[in-house]
Every structure is written in structure tokens, then in C-alpha cells.
Amino acid sequence: MTERIVSFVMSGGVGSRLWPLSREDNPKQFHDLSGDGSMLAKTLRRLTARLEGGTPIFLIAAERHADRVHADLAGLDLAGGGPLFEPTGRNTAAAVALATLRTLSEFGDSLVLVVPSDHEISTASQFWQSVEAGTEAAREGRLVVFGIKPTQPETGYGYIEVAAESGGTFDVSRFVEKPDIATAQSYLKAGNFYWNTGIFLFRARTMRDAFIALQPDIWQATEAAYKAATSDLSGLYMPLELYAAIPSNSIDYAIMERAKDIAMVPAGFRWNDLGSWQSLLDVGPADDRGNVIIGDVVAIDCENSYIRSDGRLLSAIGMKDIAIVSTSDATFVAPVSHSQHVKKIVEQLEKSGRLETRFTPAHDRVIESGAWRRRVHHWLFQETLPLWSTSGVDERHGGFHEALGLDASPLMKPKRMRTMARQVYAFAVARARGWDGPADRLISHGIAFMAGKGRTDKGGWVRTLNVDGSVADATEDAYDHSCVLLALAHAHMSGNPDALRLGEETFAFLDAHLEDSRMTGFLETSDGKGERRSNPHMHLLEAFLAWHQATGERAHLRRAARIIDLFRSHFFDPESWTLGEYFDAEWKPSTGEKGSWTEPGHHFEWASLLVDFAGRSGQAELSGFARKLYASATANGLNRATGLAYGAVSRQGLPLDLISRSWPQAEAVKAAIALDGSGGPDLKPEIEARVGRLFRWHIDPAPLGLWIDRIDERGRSLASDVPASIFYHLVCALTQYLDSTADPKA
């Protein structure tokens, strides 16, 4: 009876050597590179073609690619298999350990076949003939690998050195990493070196025992994640915090280079890992001059060149041995012999915060810019502003209500100065964008309450007022003062007669009582006590830029520049592209969890402000920092289930606060709008998607004119009220969206 083989396809790579076609969000295994389906689909079809009997087929893939995976699985009989989704990449050792665990738990000590998803193999029958040739050695408890006899000195592949041969199977002497050209030539001449295909066959217990002996930490961590996994019809999902704890290592380093008694079967199939533009030139349909031409290309007098356009017309004359690959947002040109080095380009782009390595502006995913305009305009001007300009205003005691219930009734909560100021700001922004409501009266109403009830003896502003306007907390807080300054700047631009004077008085208080005497930013409160935070400084930067807009005075830019200096020197971590939140008096990260606490929403806010300051100051390099913050927040700070930003994640990308609030989603919209015009990729589809998520999760499920502020990790509402402090985030982001998508001819 034919022994069962359980097959696993590894589909977690990025394929950066095929940039700009292959990106993080759309790696090479999902591309159709030869005209007969994606590489992943072809791999799956190959595995279903075993003549000696069926094989359950499992797919180990990144959870963020779940939609693409399900599309490629459509119509395929996996014989009881299915997808296993990794919440984050932990390299191939974790994938092989996961495959082993799945086999042991469901099929016992069966043979396991592990294959990459992105290799070109000649025929399914030749592939399976080679696999069957290795089953006897695998049954005997040997780890089996498959090697390809080299045809040229290739520097892009790993090698296997073999010794004695018995019955068509060789003993492996050692594995060798990608060599330089001279070493590759010596391997070719020696005759006992093979290219390593990265395909493995083994008994489940054999691999389990190898992990326990050689890498017990990887095995134990993977086992913990697997045991905590949940399954549904779409696949198996593992908890991020457990899977991220698995040490990241390749199966070659972790096991194969250290294990004993490894066998190699010479593969009887043609093979190419399609890991470079040279490899695509080798296998592609060439014309009579050796060129592979794909897309809208006109090529004259070209030879042995790979020329591809995935967008606009590409023309080339006299190219020889050249790779030219053009997408809608990037072009790569290099001698074909150098195309292995495209990784250097990718590394340089990532260092500078370019998003072209992460996002694919694919035509089939582009959403028409401005698709949400009608809904946004109606929600702002017909639903939200009318509600908050009436129900949100405390006509009896003054100021604005701190929160409304989900029935739009006012809640009698203490009134924070920052909320009063933000309401003034929001109505001023709405007025500037054409709202025909009573903005001037509301701005004056708010400022009269703030100035009449909320000033301190030193000339500052209190933190909190009771509902009736009496002082509840007289602390003079930098965060509150930033909000007051922001409101007064926009009130001044709206024509309020008191705003300029009050702004000047607030700046005088700021300089006298909140400025750090060491000239390293601002104190949290006027008594100088407590830990330091980056967030009040961000809001002060926002206020300074608003006052520069309002007055044109460069003194406000100089104030802003001091905060930018703090950002460069202390707040931003260049290794993880993250922004610290909590610091000690010397601006060193706080100890414990607070030291690694980062907030995606603040990354988005800083990104917008950095682009704004760059435009005003001429410090263009700050846009690179903004792109890095945006990339970090979108790569590590989003809930995979909803696409919404988490409350907080660690610098390593582990969720610390699983709640998604409405304001970070609004700030994500602002950041994408700011970056769309800063020299990077076209983010208009990203802008539309972020507006769509904001409405999908936070606005559309709420009563008219309100929003759901808090959503759990599964997309369920946790809201019990509607905080007014969020109003300004939404008004600012959505008016910017309307501005950015306006028809310039209108």
C-alpha cells in the first residue's frame, strides 16, 4: 500500500529580488510570471497530481495574504488539507515545525513533504517521480533533500555537497550558502555539488526529534502557538503574541546544517526558483533575438534583455543583456547579470522610508479618488455639525458638553479644557470649509467660557472645569495649553476679536512657566513634576504651525523647530521606525513596558505634522521620517481582522492595547493625504480605503451624527458614550479629505 505523504506549501516570502513587481503586500508567489496562473496556484496543482495516491495539502501563508490565498485555492481539492495562517513571519524553521505539529496531530507519524510556493518546475510527473525516489530514505528516519545538478556557476543559490551514493540517494556532507562567482565555478568543476531546491521530505517524528535535540526553543514556542490556535472554514489562525515569540531562523541554519545522516535525491525535473530577472529571462518566451518582452513595450535593436511594463508604454533601443521592469510607480534598470543585486535597491528604499517596497498600486485594486466625497460631505454638513452645534453646546452653563450619550443626550461630565478648545477649533475649521452654520457664535461662546472660567492666576489655563464652570482641577498642563493655542489660532483666522490677545497671553505663560529651563522642550505641568511625554510636544508643534499659518511670523516656526529637534534626537527610533511615548527627565525611554509603548495613532499624527513642517521650513528630509512612521504604523499597528489601528503596540510590533478608537483612524486619513503629495507613491487608493474603514466600523454603525469610539479586536462596539474630544479629529480629517479630492475645475 502506498504510504501517505502530507504536503505543505510555504508561502511566506516577500520575493524582494523581483522588485518592483514583487512587494510585501503582493509577493512573487501571487504573480503569473509565465502565463498559466500564479506560482502558488501552479505549486498547489502540482501537488494534487500525485499518481501514487492522494496527498492532503496544507498551505502555510501570511495572514495578511488570506484573501489572495483563498482566491488561489478556489476549485482545488486539497484532500482534507487547508491553509494555516501565520500572524507574523518567523522564517522557515517555524513553518517546518508547524507542518510537523499539524501532521503529528492529525495524521500521526506520516511522511511530510515541504515545498516552497514560488519555484518553476518542469512537470508534475517528473516532480513526483523524484519525491517518490526519496520516500524509502525518509521512511528509514533520514531527512531528505532534493538537489539540482548545476548547469552554470550560479551565485544566487545555496549548494549541497554530497559524498557516497547508494541506490540513487547521496549522503550529504554539508550545506553551503550562496557563494561568490569564483567559488561557484569551483563547485561546478568539482562535480559533487548540487543546487539546494529547499524541498524537504521526512517522517514527522524524525523532524520533531531533530527540533527537540537542536532547537528546542523553536519547537516549544511553535507548539504553544499551535495549541492555542483557532480554526474555522477559512483556515487555522494562531495568536500573534505566541507566534511572534518563536525565534526567527531558517530551517537550513536551525536544523539541516546541524543534523546528521541527511540524504539527497538528485531531482529529475527542470527547476528554477525564479529569484531574479535573469531567471525570468531564462524561462520566459523569448523572441528571435533572445528578448523576453511583456506588456506595452516597443523594443528596437535589443538583445537578450528582459523588458517588462505593467503600466504605461515602455520603449527601448539598443539594449543588450539588460533588465528593464516598469510598474505604475517604479522602474528598475540593471544589466541582467547584476539583477541579483536588486535587494540593495530595496534595502536603500526601506532605509529612506519609501513605501514602494510595501504597497502595490495594482489597477485591479484602485478605488476612484473621491469615491467617499458624497457620504463624507453629507455626514459632516448634514448630520454631524448640526447635531454638535446644538445638542453638543451647553447653553445654560457655557462651553460644550464633554460627551453625548448614544441617544444624543448631553452627559453631565466635568469639562476638560482640551475638549472646550477642540470644539472651538472644529467649528473654526468647518467655517473655513464653507459650513453655513452659526460658527462665529459658537467660537465666541466657547472662548468666552474658557477665558471667563478657566484662567489661572499666572495667566495659564486650568485642566478641568465642573459642569457649572467652577474649577475642578487647576493644574496648568502643557497638553491643554497646546489645544488652547490651536483653537485660538484658528479662531483668529476666523475673525474672532479676542483670539490674538489670548494667544499672546498664552505664549507668555508658556515661555515663563512651561518651558524647560534646559531648553529641552516643555514640562508636563507648571510644577515640573512627572514623567515626560512626546505627545504634548506633538500637539504644541501642531499649535505652533497653526500660529505660523495664522500670522506668518517665523518665530512660530523657530518654536516648532525646537520640537522637531527633540523628535530627531529622542522621540524617533531609527532602528524600528517607531516613536517613543514615555521618557524620564533626561529624555531617556521609561523603564518597563512604558519604554517600548508606541501608538500608531500618534505615528500618523506626527507624519502629517512632519510633512507640514517640511513644506514650511524647506527641511525636505523630514518627509522621509514621515514615511517611516506611516510604514511602521501600517505594518505593525493594524488589527488584521478590521484593518483599524490598535491603541498601542510595542516597538517590536506586539499589540499592547487591542482597542481601536476612532481618532487614530481619522489621523491615518490625514497622514495618507499628507504623504500622497510628498514625493512617494500614489496613496489615493489608500486614502479611500482608510476613509472606508472609518465609516465601516466607527461611523455607519452609530446613530445619526455620532460615532462608535471604541471597538474591540473582533470589531465589536465597546462604546457607552460619544466623547466630544474626538469631534475635532473627525472634522479636521474629513475636511482635508474633501479638500484633497475636490475637482480643481469646479
Side-chain angles (χ1 to χ4, degrees), residues 447 451 455 461 485 488 498-507:
I447 289 177
R455 300 300 298 275
W461 303 80
L485 282 171
L488 293 173
D498 300 315
L500 180 60
R501 171 183 57 81
L502 291 170
E504 291 172 345
E505 292 174 6
T506 305
F507 274 115

Side-chain angles (χ1 to χ4, degrees), residues 175-385:
F175 291 85
V176 184
E177 277 302 295
K178 298 170 184 176
D180 57 30
I181 187 63
T183 305
Q185 288 171 339
S186 70
Y187 290 167
L188 185 65
K189 185 176 181 180
N192 65 328
F193 286 83
Y194 288 74
W195 290 332
N196 185 359
T197 65
I199 299 171
F200 307 102
L201 181 68
F202 50 84
R203 273 205 178 284
R205 287 183 182 175
T206 303
M207 185 59 79
R208 178 199 62 187
D209 294 344
F211 268 105
I212 291 173
L214 301 173
Q215 294 288 343
D217 51 346
I218 293 179
W219 180 261
Q220 291 163 7
T222 309
E223 186 175 32
Y226 178 71
K227 287 182 176 179
T230 58
S231 295
D232 58 31
L233 292 176
S234 64
L236 179 139
Y237 300 84
M238 286 162 291
L240 174 60
E241 62 275 11
L242 292 179
Y243 204 81
I246 302 171
S248 180
N249 204 344
S250 73
I251 188 63
D252 296 298
Y253 286 137
I255 300 296
M256 305 309 291
E257 294 184 6
R258 301 170 63 189
K260 306 298 182 184
D261 197 25
I262 297 177
M264 190 208 76
V265 174
F269 49 79
R270 292 193 307 276
W271 170 89
N272 195 313
D273 81 340
L274 299 188
S276 68
W277 298 115
Q278 172 71 67
S279 64
L280 289 181
L281 179 62
D282 293 340
V283 303
D287 63 18
D288 57 1
R289 304 192 69 173
N291 302 303
V292 173
I293 307 294
I294 298 174
D296 191 4
V297 174
V298 175
I300 300 174
D301 294 333
C302 296
E303 296 181 26
N304 302 318
S305 293
Y306 186 90
I307 307 177
R308 179 184 190 119
S309 173
D310 280 11
R312 68 190 68 181
L313 169 67
L314 172 61
S315 58
I317 299 177
M319 295 292 102
K320 184 176 182 180
D321 302 321
I322 295 292
I324 307 174
V325 182
S326 179
T327 65
S328 60
D329 66 336
T331 301
F332 172 75
V333 182
V336 172
S337 60
H338 287 57
S339 65
Q340 286 278 4
H341 302 314
V342 67
K343 273 192 167 183
K344 295 179 180 178
I345 294 288
V346 173
E347 290 169 0
Q348 181 63 39
L349 291 172
E350 289 180 341
K351 286 179 181 177
S352 60
R354 296 298 296 256
L355 302 180
E356 288 90 340
T357 62
R358 300 176 184 266
F359 301 118
T360 304
H363 294 297
D364 61 349
R365 289 189 289 151
V366 168
I367 305 169
E368 180 183 358
S369 181
W372 280 90
R373 278 187 61 82
R374 180 178 295 182
R375 176 72 178 109
V376 167
H377 191 279
H378 189 276
W379 187 78
L380 270 179
F381 294 106
Q382 304 301 319
E383 300 178 24
T384 307
L385 283 163

Side-chain angles (χ1 to χ4, degrees), residues 570-742:
H570 295 290
F571 299 163
F572 181 74
D573 176 34
E575 295 298 321
S576 61
W577 295 5
T578 57
L579 180 85
E581 294 284 340
Y582 299 98
F583 300 86
D584 64 16
E586 305 302 321
W587 287 116
K588 294 178 181 177
S590 297
T591 58
E593 183 179 84
K594 279 190 171 183
S596 65
W597 185 279
T598 75
E599 297 193 19
H602 290 159
H603 283 55
F604 293 134
E605 286 188 278
W606 274 97
S608 302
L609 294 171
L610 290 171
V611 171
D612 187 355
F613 182 82
R616 297 174 190 273
S617 67
Q619 296 184 33
E621 74 280 3
L622 288 172
S623 293
F625 285 98
R627 284 192 291 270
K628 290 180 178 181
L629 289 173
Y630 186 86
S632 170
T634 54
N636 299 318
L638 302 184
N639 181 332
R640 299 180 307 282
T642 61
L644 302 175
Y646 282 127
V649 297
S650 71
R651 291 192 187 273
Q652 295 73 39
L654 296 179
L656 299 176
D657 178 359
L658 299 178
I659 303 302
S660 294
R661 296 193 63 190
S662 51
W663 69 264
Q665 323 318 323
E667 295 303 328
V669 173
K670 289 170 56 180
I673 291 170
L675 287 169
D676 186 52
S678 68
D682 179 7
L683 289 181
K684 292 180 181 62
E686 182 83 357
I687 294 166
E688 298 297 327
R690 300 229 166 273
V691 173
R693 290 189 190 98
L694 176 62
F695 273 80
R696 158 70 177 85
W697 296 102
H698 291 284
I699 292 178
D700 285 344
L704 197 71
L706 302 175
W707 53 88
I708 304 297
D709 184 48
R710 293 163 54 83
I711 291 174
D712 74 7
E713 70 275 18
R714 296 186 181 180
R716 297 172 299 193
S717 171
L718 298 177
S720 57
D721 60 15
V722 186
S725 60
I726 306 302
F727 184 57
Y728 102 106
H729 288 282
L730 298 172
V731 170
C732 183
L734 295 177
T735 52
Q736 285 189 21
Y737 170 76
L738 293 175
D739 289 347
S740 70
T741 56

Side-chain angles (χ1 to χ4, degrees), residues 162-173:
V162 298
E165 184 265 342
S166 175
T169 300
F170 290 82
D171 295 332
V172 173
S173 300

Side-chain angles (χ1 to χ4, degrees), residues 29 37 42 125 203 395 398 423 439 483 517 621 639 653:
Q29 61 265 29
K42 290 168 64 177
S125 60
R203 273 205 178 284
E395 300 289 2
Q423 296 301 83
C483 295
S517 61
E621 74 280 3
N639 181 332

